[in-house]
Every structure is written in C-alpha cells, then in structure tokens.
Amino acid sequence: MKKKFFFKNICKIKKNIKNGNLTQCVISNQIFIKKNIKNLNINLSKYNMFLNLKEIKIELHSPEFLIRSEFNKNQTKPIAGTTDKNHISLLILKNKKEISEHLMLLDLSLNDLFKNNIKKIFLKRLIFCEYHKNLIHIVSEIFFISKKIKKINIIKNMFPAGTLSGSPKKNCIKLINKLEKKNRNFYGGIFYYINKNHLESSILIRIKIILKNNMIIESGAGLIDKSINYLEWLETILKKQILIK
C-alpha cells in the first residue's frame, strides 16, 4: 500500500474513533518483493516456525503468543506499543499515545479472557519493556485459571488477537475489510499445537510468505485519536526491517 493510501486509511479510522464507533484500530500494509529467495533466516526471535508446503513457505519470527496453557493454568501476553531499539526504553513508557494504546488492548484482552469460565486471574507484570533484535515492545503478562473448558474453546474466545484488530473487535474487523485492498491471508492468524494438557501458540506476525520465490511481508500499526500519521507509517516499516535485511 502506498503511503498516501495508508494515510487516507488512517484519516478514515480517526474519523470512526471521533464518531465513537471505535476506540483503537490496527491497520496494516503489505510489501511484495519480486526476488529469487535463496536463503531463509531461522532463529531470529523467541518464537519460530517454518512451514514448507508445496507451493508456499511461511517463515515466522513472532514476538507474541495468543495463549499458552499447561493443564488448567493459562497465560497470555498482549503486546502494544513499539519503538526502535536505538531509542531509550524509558521514553516509550512516557509516551502517552503508546501507553494509551496498550491500556486499551490490555482491556480488550481481559474482556476476551472472561469468556473462558475464569476461576482466578493474575496480572504478573503490567506495562514493561521487552527487547527484541531491532525493536522494543510494551508488554503485559496475564495468568489465569479456568474451570472446565476445552483448550480449543479458549482459542476461539480469544481469536483474532485484539492487538491485530482493535477495539471493539467486530467493528474494527468490518472496517479493516473495507480499507485494506488485499486480504491479510495468514497475517494475523495463529499457529498452535495442542494436546490433552498443553497448548502453545504464536500469532502470525513478523512472517515471510514465500510464493513462487516472491516474498510477501505485512505489518501493522495501532491507531488511536492521538496517532501521528507519519510515525504510524514508520512503525510498519521498522517492523519489516528485520525480515528484509
């Protein structure tokens, strides 16, 4: 998506926020690189997956899991708020826009959690910095215990992640479908493995999609009424850098 169209989408989202239809929304853009892809970089982050199908390859370096579960003990880790690693981490924690975005998405995560027959809930760490190869994220950690509920139902109740859609979730998804010219496909989905007692998942962000030796990369930015258009555009570029280099 060209910059001018991305800026137009930002303006439309801000208009919906001012009208009260949304409080926050995540808009994304896609880059398509026509290139002969020979080398793939594995193990760049804590969560990795490489799926090699006949006509498509997906390489994942996700910093965020939707849900992690062991027996009836569960954990989720909403991430919202991003800056370049060259910046001082304390600055992002003083950025009112980034903190506001994080709090809204933390609230959205909690709303999704309470659909899961919650017995106990514990916010272990709230609004702290997590460091990755070239980015700093604002992160919170939530632990909860559910009464009898199937793990696949916990996924259904929390999917898609609010950090990739916005709040209210349904309104954001409708608007995103209108504004984004290309379908997100795998971006914003979830990769997980599950058995009787355990569940491990990773949200499909920071992904390369290799299709006929062409590379497709997508990234998004969370928008609120205080968002600065150019900085949101820049955030989507920073998130792609680690996958392009």
Side-chain angles (χ1 to χ4, degrees):
M1 188 185 297
K2 292 182 179 180
K3 189 189 294 185
K4 64 178 181 179
F5 294 117
F6 191 78
F7 284 2
K8 283 183 180 179
N9 285 346
I10 291 175
C11 293
K12 290 176 182 178
I13 289 170
K14 284 183 177 179
K15 185 176 180 180
N16 273 269
I17 292 172
K18 288 179 180 179
N19 290 340
N21 298 326
L22 311 173
T23 56
Q24 195 264 5
C25 186
V26 180
I27 193 70
S28 71
N29 64 37
Q30 226 179 65
I31 184 171
F32 186 87
I33 302 172
K34 293 183 179 180
K35 185 178 179 182
N36 184 22
I37 307 299
K38 295 180 180 179
N39 298 316
L40 294 174
N41 301 314
I42 308 299
N43 297 323
L44 291 181
S45 73
K46 296 178 182 178
Y47 309 100
N48 300 280
M49 180 269 289
F50 180 65
L51 187 62
N52 191 349
L53 303 175
K54 287 184 178 180
E55 296 186 3
I56 191 168
K57 298 178 178 66
I58 302 174
E59 180 188 335
L60 168 70
H61 309 287
S62 175
E64 183 174 4
F65 57 85
L66 182 69
I67 183 71
R68 177 179 286 164
S69 179
E70 186 172 356
F71 295 95
N72 68 331
K73 297 177 181 178
N74 310 288
Q75 178 188 6
T76 187
K77 187 178 73 172
I79 293 177
T82 305
T83 190
D84 193 326
K85 198 171 183 180
N86 294 325
H87 293 172
I88 301 171
S89 60
L90 289 177
L91 293 179
I92 191 173
L93 293 178
K94 293 180 179 179
N95 187 312
K96 292 182 180 179
K97 181 266 174 185
E98 299 290 359
I99 296 299
S100 176
E101 178 188 342
H102 186 86
L103 287 173
M104 278 189 282
L105 292 176
L106 177 61
D107 182 61
L108 184 60
S109 294
L110 289 169
N111 287 336
D112 289 341
L113 287 183
F114 279 104
K115 300 174 185 176
N116 294 308
N117 202 10
I118 296 294
K119 183 179 180 182
K120 292 181 180 180
I121 188 165
F122 174 54
L123 273 68
K124 184 178 180 182
R125 291 195 289 177
L126 183 65
I127 310 178
F128 67 97
C129 286
E130 186 173 87
Y131 298 84
H132 296 273
K133 187 169 183 179
N134 68 332
L135 296 173
I136 300 171
H137 294 295
I138 302 176
V139 178
S140 294
E141 287 184 327
I142 308 170
F143 292 82
F144 63 99
I145 297 175
S146 295
K147 297 177 184 178
K148 293 181 181 180
I149 184 173
K150 293 180 179 179
K151 289 181 172 55
I152 191 67
N153 289 334
I154 295 178
I155 291 176
K156 288 178 180 178
N157 289 333
M158 296 180 67
F159 185 83
T163 50
L164 271 292
S165 53
S167 176
K169 193 182 285 187
K170 289 183 179 179
N171 291 356
C172 287
I173 291 171
K174 287 180 181 178
L175 184 59
I176 287 167
N177 288 335
K178 289 180 181 178
L179 297 182
E180 294 186 5
K181 300 298 181 182
K182 296 181 180 178
N183 192 291
R184 288 187 175 184
N185 294 315
F186 294 101
Y187 177 77
I190 179 175
F191 177 82
Y192 68 92
Y193 61 87
I194 185 171
N195 60 28
K196 185 178 179 181
N197 296 318
H198 297 85
L199 165 64
E200 181 67 50
S201 67
S202 188
I203 297 174
L204 292 175
I205 55 177
R206 311 292 195 277
I207 59 172
K208 291 180 186 176
I209 298 174
I210 313 299
L211 181 63
K212 296 180 180 179
N213 286 334
N214 297 313
M215 185 189 298
I216 303 169
I217 303 174
E218 191 161 356
S219 61
L223 306 174
I224 63 172
D225 58 338
K226 296 178 182 178
S227 294
I228 299 171
N229 295 8
Y230 178 75
L231 294 181
E232 299 298 343
W233 166 263
L234 185 61
E235 181 178 325
T236 66
I237 303 303
L238 290 172
K239 288 176 178 177
K240 292 183 179 77
Q241 281 184 344
I242 190 173
L243 300 174
I244 295 174
K245 287 181 179 179

